[in-house]
């Protein structure tokens, strides 16, 4: 029996803001979406040409406040072929939330507070 990771889900409060963030910060674009007939949810799958792994963003109509993420003890990691340029972009965006120069990594935070690790080298 074999398993293949295909996506990770993040529930988001402002879908358009989140899509724009992931496109600008990480180059992810919408691959497809699913909308409930009654408008109660929208699911958008984001991806890139670098991998077939997708990020699933779920917006729920009845959620009236931003999600509470606890202590942010989880994250999704991205490896980049131009660490310095990525760091400059994320500094300009103001989304760097933690840096560990000794390890050569840093984290950015999306509009809902999800942490995303940025690693050097592809």
């Amino acid at each position: 029996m074999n398993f293949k990771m295909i996506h990770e889900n993040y529930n988001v409060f402002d879908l358009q803001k989140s899509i724009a963030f992931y496109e600008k910060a990480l180059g992810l674009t919408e691959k497809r979406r699913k909308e409930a007939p009654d408008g109660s949810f929208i699911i958008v799958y984001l991806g890139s040409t670098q991998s077939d792994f997708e990020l699933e963003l779920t917006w729920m109509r009845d959620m009236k406040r931003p999600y509470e993420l606890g202590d942010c003890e989880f994250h999704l990691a991205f490896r980049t072929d131009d660490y310095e340029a990525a760091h400059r972009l994320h500094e300009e965006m103001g989304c760097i939330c933690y840096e560990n120069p000794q390890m050569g990594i840093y984290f950015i935070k999306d509009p809902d507070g999800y942490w995303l690790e940025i690693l050097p080298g592809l």
Side-chain angles (χ1 to χ4, degrees):
M1 182 180 324
N2 297 303
F3 296 92
K4 178 180 178 183
M5 292 193 325
I6 58 170
H7 73 258
E8 177 160 353
N9 169 261
Y10 287 169
N11 279 31
V12 300
F13 186 64
D14 183 329
L15 184 60
Q16 293 311 313
K17 184 176 182 179
S18 293
I19 290 170
F21 171 85
Y22 281 100
E23 184 169 357
K24 182 174 182 180
L26 299 166
L28 301 181
T29 58
E30 183 173 331
K31 299 300 180 189
R32 65 187 183 287
R33 71 172 49 208
K34 181 177 183 178
E35 298 187 29
D38 66 357
S40 61
F41 69 84
I42 300 172
I43 298 173
V44 174
Y45 294 90
L46 303 178
S48 75
T49 59
Q50 303 300 310
S51 169
D52 59 356
F53 188 82
E54 295 177 320
L55 179 59
E56 173 189 316
L57 302 180
T58 301
W59 172 83
M60 305 293 285
R61 177 188 61 206
D62 296 334
M63 182 51 121
K64 302 300 182 204
R65 60 164 175 74
Y67 289 88
E68 296 176 13
L69 303 182
D71 295 322
C72 288
E73 290 298 324
F74 58 90
H75 64 271
L76 182 59
F78 291 81
R79 192 174 302 278
T80 178
D81 62 347
D82 192 340
Y83 187 83
E84 289 77 23
H87 192 276
R88 280 193 305 275
L89 170 66
H90 297 143
E91 273 187 322
E92 291 169 12
M93 292 177 67
C95 61
I96 295 176
C97 58
Y98 178 77
E99 294 189 65
N100 188 328
Q102 294 78 19
M103 292 181 69
I105 63 170
Y106 67 93
F107 289 80
I108 61 176
K109 191 185 306 186
D110 86 350
D112 289 279
Y114 292 104
W115 283 34
L116 308 152
E117 182 179 8
I118 307 300
L119 300 149
L122 272 179

